[in-house]
Amino acid sequence: MTTIEHVRPPRLQAVGAQVRQISFWAENAAPIGLVALVIVFSALSPTFLTLGNIKAMLVAAAILVILAIGQSFVITTGGIDLSISATMTFGAIGFGLAFQAGLGFWVSAVVAIVAGLLIGLINGLLIAKGKVTDFIATLGTLSVATGLALIVSNGKPITINSTELLTLTSGSLGIFGYPIILAAVIAVLAWFFMFRTRFGLHVQAVGGNEESAVANGISATRIRMAVYLISGGLAGVAALLLVARVGAAEPAINTQFLLNSIAAVVLGGVSLTGGKAKIVGPVIGALLLTALTNGLTLLGVSQFYQPLAVGLVVVLAALLTRFQKK
Amino acid sequence: MTTPDQYNERPSVAPHTGTTATRDFILQATGITKSFGGVHALKGASMTMRRGEITALIGDNGAGKSTMVRCLSGIHRPDSGEILLDGKPVTFENPNAAIQQGIETVQQNLALVEDLTVWQNFFLGREKTHGFGPFRTLDRKLMKQTAADLLKNLAVNVPPVTSKVRRLSGGQRQAVAIARAAGWGSQIVIMDEPTAALGVQETARVEGVIETLRESGVAVLLISHNFDQVMRLSDHVWVMRAGMAVAERRSAETSGDELVALITGAKAA
């Protein structure tokens, strides 16, 4: 999406020339991979491209899409948020306890998001003000958030019976369930803030060259605080979808969401060194990973093979990004 | 020295050299001192810049050029001394204060973000927006147009403003940084070794840009180790040695050899 301005008139010829370059495949790894997966799986399984399965896949992808967007903001600044899935778990427990205390759906939802923002705030303070390495700081808060979730829930899942949650998880407009609509709205907002506002430009500047950004009057501290808050807040939103899907707030570890959120961003063509912002890429990356898991399940491939497949796809994508245009 | 030299008196106050009237000075710095711990980087240095001229500041490493420039661009605060801008005393709390008074500095590292486009770099930190509140959007059209116009006015030969700075050559990057500094209605542009890392052709292009800048009425302070360049470009030269501005010359009335002698102290100022 960022390269709209570059490609102009002689489109067809240009496209032809581009396809012959490896950088074309590297730039568009996620959409090409998604199309390839859809073709392969729909050939192998008649159920894959049915409306019912597409709807199920989109709903299943919503949590990962939201987490990948949060992760994308952080990674654009050259950071990483390893605590993102633990924060989601913490937010889910926050929702569960608030709901159990009779605060109702909406207040509980706010509690979940505030819980996520709280972890984001701690990350931001540690990294932006305390100058702790992002990797170490968020590894620490990963453990802290997981521990807190276990402590406050006493290690037991909290069952939730909420009509609002039921609507959230089962309601839909056509084949688009509410969860994926929520994720899409967040994606559009994220794209807008990243590419059309001063804030987004400053996020990219800090990630690209912090020294130059600061020399031009941008506060790197504020930008870093903001991206970890965004990541934490979005983890809180994802917590709602997680509780809605499971029907309970579980203090589970959810490691696969952490790895997949980073994998989706890498698949989406975002450089881990920062400076190159993408929103659509990571969203497609998240859809790809969900389609991969779904397709393998439909084909009856053992669950044990799924992490292997995800790992292979991510490593391949990382190799391909080496050939991206600078 | 037997004859009083109108340029060579070590100035105790901002000098009124030659036939130049005070009002023709855009900048007068007088008796600037700056120490870092026990190191006296500036020991009462004075210098001037005239309107519409390129003033060169030369001196050996450690002579105090960089400290002087940092005092003028607001990075350092002088321990004592006075800076007159347009005849009025000014103090700069920080680089932004200097920028607001019309003094722009082209950093040696250029302060560009390689992954952003030319126009994004141009307006980095001072973007134009429309709308209001959290939905204030970047006025991309205005910014692209303005950046393109400014580059065109300076006759800078660069790719479209939508290309990423990463794809620009060293000279093109320098030109973009200079055009950005000149693009804010600034009165003074300070450049620290603008062509240090450039080849012959690129140096010539950047020098062309600096000359265009002078023609448009901006006063340029040029720090350079390249005497040929100083002789080619500048109208006036200040020589620093050991924390003092020890001599000034009209470029037309001096030679590279004399400048070297002044820098090393082989020739008394």
Side-chain angles (χ1 to χ4, degrees):
Chain A
M1 293 301 291
T2 52
T3 54
I4 285 171
E5 296 89 1
H6 298 296
V7 214
R8 276 209 185 107
R11 260 207 101 113
L12 276 177
Q13 281 184 352
V15 168
Q18 271 187 353
V19 171
R20 269 170 261 133
Q21 291 183 340
I22 192 159
S23 64
F24 169 81
W25 300 87
E27 297 279 348
N28 301 294
I32 294 168
L34 182 59
V35 170
L37 276 189
V38 167
I39 292 171
V40 170
F41 282 134
S42 53
L44 295 177
S45 158
T47 357
F48 186 77
L49 265 193
T50 56
L51 282 185
N53 192 49
I54 291 173
K55 187 175 166 183
M57 267 195 288
L58 287 175
V59 167
I63 294 174
L64 191 55
V65 167
I66 293 172
L67 294 181
I69 290 168
Q71 193 71 266
S72 191
F73 271 92
V74 173
I75 289 181
T76 301
T77 65
I80 196 153
D81 187 355
L82 297 180
S83 71
I84 196 163
S85 67
T87 305
M88 175 172 71
T89 305
F90 183 61
I93 294 298
F95 179 92
L97 288 179
F99 195 82
Q100 209 175 30
L103 292 177
F105 171 79
W106 292 104
V107 176
S108 306
V110 171
V111 169
I113 293 169
V114 169
L117 287 172
L118 184 72
I119 304 289
L121 180 69
I122 296 171
N123 283 335
L125 286 174
L126 283 173
I127 292 159
K129 301 252 190 208
K131 309 286 179 205
V132 180
T133 313
D134 42 50
F135 191 86
I136 302 300
T138 57
L139 194 61
T141 48
L142 181 164
S143 206
V144 166
T146 308
L148 282 178
L150 283 167
I151 293 166
V152 295
S153 68
N154 223 352
K156 295 188 189 81
I158 305 160
T159 313
I160 309 284
N161 288 311
S162 153
T163 48
E164 285 95 343
L165 271 190
L166 204 63
T167 315
L168 178 59
T169 190
S170 59
S172 66
L173 293 174
I175 63 160
F176 301 106
Y178 287 165
I180 195 67
I181 292 174
L182 178 63
V185 169
I186 290 173
V188 169
L189 283 175
W191 185 89
F192 173 81
F193 280 109
M194 185 67 100
F195 296 116
R196 287 293 178 269
T197 67
R198 298 184 69 185
F199 169 70
L201 187 57
H202 292 179
V203 168
Q204 298 170 57
V206 168
N209 188 332
E210 179 167 350
E211 202 187 333
S212 296
V214 171
N216 284 297
I218 295 168
S219 164
T221 311
R222 282 177 57 188
I223 294 294
R224 287 192 196 285
M225 289 288 303
V227 293
Y228 285 100
L229 278 171
I230 289 174
S231 177
L234 287 181
V237 174
L240 299 180
L241 297 184
L242 185 71
V243 176
R245 192 165 97 182
V246 182
E250 288 181 321
I253 304 219
N254 291 321
T255 316
Q256 87 278 10
F257 277 116
L258 164 62
L259 298 181
N260 284 357
S261 77
I262 298 172
V265 173
V266 172
L267 276 172
V270 178
S271 152
L272 287 178
T273 51
K276 291 185 90 184
K278 289 204 168 112
I279 297 295
V280 178
V283 168
I284 295 177
L287 294 177
L288 187 156
L289 289 174
T290 313
L292 181 65
T293 319
N294 176 281
L296 290 175
T297 311
L298 283 184
L299 293 182
V301 177
S302 156
Q303 289 252 333
F304 300 158
Y305 285 89
Q306 289 178 6
L308 179 72
V310 170
L312 283 178
V313 167
V314 170
V315 171
L316 269 176
L319 271 176
L320 256 184
T321 55
R322 279 193 48 232
F323 298 102
Q324 278 186 355
K325 276 190 209 151
K326 286 290 179 188
Chain B
M1 285 198 298
T2 48
T3 53
D5 185 329
Q6 58 178 342
Y7 299 127
N8 286 351
E9 293 281 336
R10 178 176 296 186
S12 56
V13 294
H16 301 173
T17 43
T19 56
T20 314
T22 314
R23 65 169 189 281
D24 288 333
F25 290 115
I26 181 79
L27 182 121
Q28 294 160 280
T30 314
I32 307 290
T33 65
K34 178 75 188 173
S35 301
F36 301 96
V39 181
H40 304 290
L42 291 178
K43 305 170 188 166
S46 301
M47 66 164 293
T48 55
M49 287 177 68
R50 296 168 210 219
R51 275 173 219 290
E53 287 197 352
I54 297 175
T55 307
L57 187 61
I58 61 174
D60 212 344
N61 290 338
K65 302 183 303 280
S66 295
T67 314
M68 188 70 176
V69 163
R70 282 159 181 259
C71 286
L72 296 180
S73 60
I75 297 169
H76 294 329
R77 292 193 67 186
D79 297 333
S80 67
E82 189 182 39
I83 300 173
L84 298 183
L85 184 65
D86 235 344
K88 290 184 226 34
V90 286
T91 52
F92 305 128
E93 298 289 332
N94 52 47
N96 275 340
I99 288 169
Q100 265 159 24
Q101 304 265 11
I103 301 183
E104 289 274 348
T105 308
V106 181
Q107 310 281 346
Q108 213 168 357
N109 66 10
L110 302 185
L112 297 171
V113 179
E114 293 81 4
D115 284 321
L116 295 180
T117 63
V118 170
W119 72 265
Q120 284 171 329
N121 268 287
F122 228 95
F123 285 89
L124 198 57
R126 11 187 184 187
E127 299 84 0
K128 307 275 180 222
T129 53
H130 41 205
F132 53 88
F135 292 94
R136 246 177 354 160
T137 53
L138 296 171
D139 195 340
R140 293 154 57 89
K141 204 171 155 191
L142 174 71
M143 287 192 280
K144 284 177 194 170
Q145 189 61 50
T146 313
D149 288 349
L150 281 165
L151 287 170
K152 206 171 123 201
N153 287 346
L154 283 175
V156 180
N157 176 26
V158 291
V161 291
T162 48
S163 27
K164 290 198 171 170
V165 165
R166 189 179 289 288
R167 301 203 187 167
L168 268 53
S169 70
Q172 289 171 330
R173 291 181 194 200
Q174 187 76 46
V176 168
I178 293 174
R180 174 172 68 179
W184 304 95
S186 42
Q187 310 188 63
I188 296 177
V189 174
I190 300 174
M191 296 179 204
D192 196 350
E193 296 280 2
T195 59
L198 303 182
V200 178
Q201 276 194 341
E202 298 226 290
T203 299
R205 286 211 190 98
V206 169
E207 286 180 0
V209 172
I210 298 174
E211 278 170 344
T212 319
L213 204 55
R214 166 175 57 189
E215 278 154 32
S216 67
V218 177
V220 175
L221 182 60
L222 174 74
I223 292 94
S224 180
H225 276 108
N226 180 338
F227 295 117
D228 290 339
Q229 181 173 62
V230 168
M231 300 302 287
R232 265 198 311 272
L233 277 180
S234 70
D235 303 287
H236 200 89
V237 188
W238 278 94
V239 181
M240 290 196 72
R241 181 171 2 112
M244 301 286 290
V246 293
E248 58 174 320
R249 291 285 187 275
R250 296 301 292 172
S251 306
E253 298 167 15
T254 186
S255 66
D257 289 343
E258 189 190 15
L259 293 179
V260 173
L262 287 168
I263 286 174
T264 57
K267 174 168 179 165

